Amino acid sequence: LSGGLVGLGYRYDQRALLIAGALLAPRLGPIAGLSLASVSGSLRFFLRMLVALTLGVLLVGVAAALVFGLALEPDSVSLLPYEHTKLNLVDFGLLLTGAVILAIVVARSERLAGIASVAVAYELILPLGAASVGLVLSDPELVQGAALTFVLHLTWAVAAGLFTLILMG
């Protein structure tokens, strides 16, 4: 559902649908789990979280691509996906804040913080959806830029959680 809303949002240039996609995204426990597994040194737990994250990413990406492709009209251009191929400080700040809060709440109460998860989901799912849209449009520049943004956001989210857990002891 989250990927479908992101695909529709990109197709019709509607930011509200993109936000709805982030709100409906599953909680991103695997992000905090990867950080926790790195701190604890548990390879088995790390691999489980990596597989869970990979499956979630694939589901969202495929759903976004399918919905965008099915709604595609001939000779139409969607500009919104291109906005998620660039790095900016506001997005980066939101990502780091969400990742840090996610790690703190997981460490203290062994549950996930909903708002922090939405912040991280917004910063991960939108570039992922843009990369999927780039595949449908056969636009290598869009795919590369969005995929790079997704990978950098994912890396920084896990690193922020890792450093937060290290500082917490």
Side-chain angles (χ1 to χ4, degrees):
L1 186 58
S2 176
L5 286 171
V6 169
L8 281 175
Y10 281 140
R11 173 63 202 102
Y12 295 111
D13 283 333
Q14 294 295 316
R15 293 182 197 280
L17 291 173
L18 298 177
I19 293 169
L23 286 170
L24 292 178
R27 299 231 174 146
L28 290 178
I31 299 291
L34 287 171
S35 300
L36 189 59
S38 298
V39 169
S40 68
S42 173
L43 180 62
R44 183 172 179 219
F45 185 58
F46 183 85
L47 292 175
R48 282 182 37 199
M49 292 296 105
L50 191 60
V51 168
L53 182 64
T54 302
L55 287 175
V57 163
L58 286 174
L59 286 173
V60 169
V62 168
L66 286 175
V67 170
F68 181 86
L70 292 175
L72 193 61
E73 298 167 6
D75 299 327
S76 62
V77 177
S78 180
L79 299 176
L80 196 54
Y82 294 93
E83 292 182 17
H84 296 281
T85 62
K86 303 172 197 145
L87 299 173
N88 67 55
L89 288 177
V90 174
D91 284 338
F92 190 67
L94 179 63
L95 174 75
L96 289 181
T97 302
V100 167
I101 292 171
L102 201 58
I104 290 170
V105 171
V106 164
R108 288 190 178 163
S109 64
E110 296 182 13
R111 62 181 180 82
L112 294 174
I115 290 293
S117 183
V118 168
V120 174
Y122 182 86
E123 296 302 337
L124 292 177
I125 288 174
L126 297 187
L128 174 64
S132 299
V133 165
L135 288 173
V136 171
L137 295 175
S138 299
D139 184 347
E141 186 177 314
L142 178 58
V143 173
Q144 290 172 356
L148 179 62
T149 301
F150 169 76
V151 169
L152 287 172
H153 281 186
L154 176 62
T155 303
W156 276 104
V158 173
L162 174 68
F163 290 125
T164 301
L165 293 173
I166 289 171
L167 290 174
M168 291 179 67

